[in-house]
Amino acid sequence: MERFQAGDDRALREAYDRFGGMVLRVGLLRLGNQHDAEDLVQMVFVRAWKGRAGFDPAKGSVGAWLLGITRRLIADRYAALDRDRKIVAAAEKIAPADVVSAPADRVVDRVVVGNELDKLPAEQRRVVLLAFYGELSHSQIAATTGLPIGTVKSHIRRALIQLRKRWEVDG
């Protein structure tokens, strides 16, 4: 752990080799699917690496510390899912049923969306286009672009937030 705290990347690899399986198993049990569990493992070790100075061997083992990080990230994931469910439920309550927009409205919407997409940073725009127009999954986008899956998800999330802000400003 001293090497890990000192920033030795080989120590990070050793910690991953030793505890990665444990974090993955907990992720599978709590999140229910391989993809989310693999993302969790990556996030746990990134957070551990960034916060390595905060590890105190007097308070517990490395494994227990990593499990604590894992628990917090899983709790964050559940909270995000709960927020998403509430947003969807609220939207379903206020959304008019079976509204069909005129073809002209669709064309205008596509032009506006295309214009806003052009304002995104190039890498974010590429990921969003692959996700929504190319209908690729996050893992397919990661394989296509060579980006880590967490980066793909982050790009999509940031792009959607940015697009939503612009859309709200424009009404």
Side-chain angles (χ1 to χ4, degrees):
M1 197 55 198
E2 290 173 8
R3 288 185 12 249
F4 186 87
Q5 285 180 313
D8 183 351
D9 56 355
R10 290 175 299 180
L12 173 63
R13 178 62 190 195
E14 290 170 17
Y16 180 85
D17 289 343
R18 183 168 176 199
F19 298 107
M22 174 188 68
V23 173
L24 181 64
R25 282 189 297 280
V26 170
L28 283 169
L29 288 171
R30 295 291 178 209
L31 301 175
N33 73 59
Q34 185 75 26
H35 177 74
D36 288 344
E38 289 172 356
D39 285 347
L40 175 70
V41 172
Q42 179 180 348
M43 289 186 293
V44 166
F45 281 92
V46 167
R47 183 156 305 170
W49 184 249
K50 288 181 178 179
R52 64 188 178 270
F55 174 71
D56 183 359
K59 292 182 180 178
S61 68
V62 175
W65 180 61
L66 291 171
L67 281 177
I69 295 170
T70 303
R71 279 185 32 245
R72 286 187 295 279
L73 288 173
I74 290 171
D76 291 348
R77 175 77 173 139
Y78 283 144
L81 289 172
D82 190 46
R83 278 191 307 272
D84 290 347
R85 269 188 247 128
K86 288 177 182 174
I87 290 169
V88 169
E92 287 174 348
K93 285 182 182 177
I94 62 171
D98 299 317
V99 173
V100 178
S101 60
D105 290 341
R106 282 189 230 138
V107 170
V108 170
D109 287 346
R110 286 183 182 203
V111 169
V112 170
V113 169
N115 185 47
E116 291 302 325
L117 285 171
D118 288 341
K119 294 177 184 177
L120 292 173
E123 196 169 85
Q124 278 184 4
R125 182 176 52 250
R126 180 176 180 213
V127 169
V128 169
L129 291 174
L130 289 171
F132 293 99
Y133 294 106
E135 298 182 357
L136 298 179
S137 69
H138 293 148
S139 53
Q140 290 171 323
I141 294 170
T144 301
T145 61
L147 295 170
I149 195 148
T151 303
V152 168
K153 288 181 176 186
S154 295
H155 280 333
I156 291 172
R157 182 174 180 280
R158 281 193 290 273
L160 291 177
I161 289 169
Q162 195 170 354
L163 289 171
R164 182 179 62 203
K165 284 179 184 174
R166 287 187 184 145
W167 200 269
E168 288 171 350
V169 167
D170 293 340

